[in-house]
Amino acid sequence: MAERTLKLTLAYDGTRFVGWQRQAQGDSIQGLLEESLSRFDGASVVVHGAGRTDAGVHALGQVASVAVHFDHDVTTLQRALNAQLPPDVRVLSIAEVGSDFHARFSARSKTYQYRIRNAAIADPFERAYVWHLQEPLDRAAMERAAEALIGTHDFMAFQSTGSQTNGTTRTITSSLWRDSGGLLVYEITGDGFLRHMVRAIVGTLIDVGRGWREPEAVAALLERRPRSEAGATAPAHGLYLLRVDYH
Amino acid sequence: MAERTLKLTLAYDGTRFVGWQRQAQGDSIQGLLEESLSRFDGASVVVHGAGRTDAGVHALGQVASVAVHFDHDVTTLQRALNAQLPPDVRVLSIAEVGSDFHARFSARSKTYQYRIRNAAIADPFERAYVWHLQEPLDRAAMERAAEALIGTHDFMAFQSTGSQTNGTTRTITSSLWRDSGGLLVYEITGDGFLRHMVRAIVGTLIDVGRGWREPEAVAALLERRPRSEAGATAPAHGLYLLRVDYH
């Protein structure tokens, strides 16, 4: 069979996983997909993900690409994969794409969502899915701080220590807070994200909401400040890779 | 200290519990509450629940009563209990009530909710919280069948085998299907429920929705039919004790 490139769109509950990426120990989403797809292919396949979500981080629209040699149609393959995969990972769709498609390198932008329950008492059903914050938050200040992130900036202050990347400049096209079903949701779209960047941004925006720092502090952090000056990294379990857009 | 009676309203994710009721093995909600409250009381207390939810069944508004001797105010007690209890059980409120209040015997009615996701692909975040059904369902037939349950009937056909109870006649005041956030939700209110009754009713209503039996079959089952003639018991993880009403 000739080689075909497939684009998979996935949703997963990241709770029990070591993250997207295959590791020496523990279950990863990449590992599960490679195992299933290799069984179809008869040879080892490598699955590329658009975003390498960390342990505990969820996805509603992760995109993965893979080159395969089998000739099952995409509907049959989707059904078979969903039958083989554990219920906390679902293949939402599969499309056949050009051989030059790569889930990460072809991506134009990614959108992450961070979910917060701002209430006196936590919801027992949400403990692995939202960050629960009891204290009152200054929404107007958080909105002003979120807006300051839009544009092309050096996000050095918002990356985790020791991350190696090709530069720390990224372009953010949307950064806003909104209400969704009683939750406080932060949504950010950009051409790329440094390691732990969204969670460091959320930690900093929440510092602003708590009145621990001024909204203007965010603009100052974008002037190549060290990581130690930004807020703490928000917990992984509130973060969702919402969607990946392509040209 | 004089004896005081407290009414607790609780929410819990039933996933990892053996059920409401204390068992020889495994975690129960009753057991966790008794352990925490006994620590406050200095003596063993017994907590009574309005509904004895089974393993995997959830609660959004379970009610429990307990007689205690300590004198902490209810706000302090609520905060302390929520600090001690695991995050999958939350005390939503505590009220001081008359000494004749009993969570189960004083209840006028209970309302259960059963949640179904009727879609081609299951949502990975809902695997412990809804029943996923792929096939098309005849909603009009299910609504007609649900209505037939309203009134005072002998629910023998809908109890689990070997359950001992004071009779099998119960009065249902509301029984309906509705849409809620993309979910198909069945809601039933009654003065009491036999063991597994709601799940047996849902199993039977889904048989009607699938076209496996006529809506009229429900009325026939209420004519003291054996359990074997009703539908299969729907899975525990779609069921929620929604609320308990008192006089």
Side-chain angles (χ1 to χ4, degrees), chain A residues 2 12-13 27 51-52 57 65 78 80 88-89 92 107 156 168 198 209 219 239 244:
Chain A
Y12 49 81
D13 177 338
D27 282 346
R52 281 169 293 190
V57 174
S65 58
Q78 184 188 2
D88 41 6
V89 181
L92 303 180
M156 201 163 71
T168 50
V198 182
L239 185 61
V244 188

Side-chain angles (χ1 to χ4, degrees), chain A residues 12-13 78 121 125 127, chain B residues 12-13 78 121-122 125 127:
Chain A
Y12 49 81
D13 177 338
Q78 184 188 2
I121 299 172
F125 298 94
R127 64 202 187 285
Chain B
Y12 48 82
D13 178 338
Q78 184 188 4
I121 299 172
F125 298 95
R127 63 199 188 286

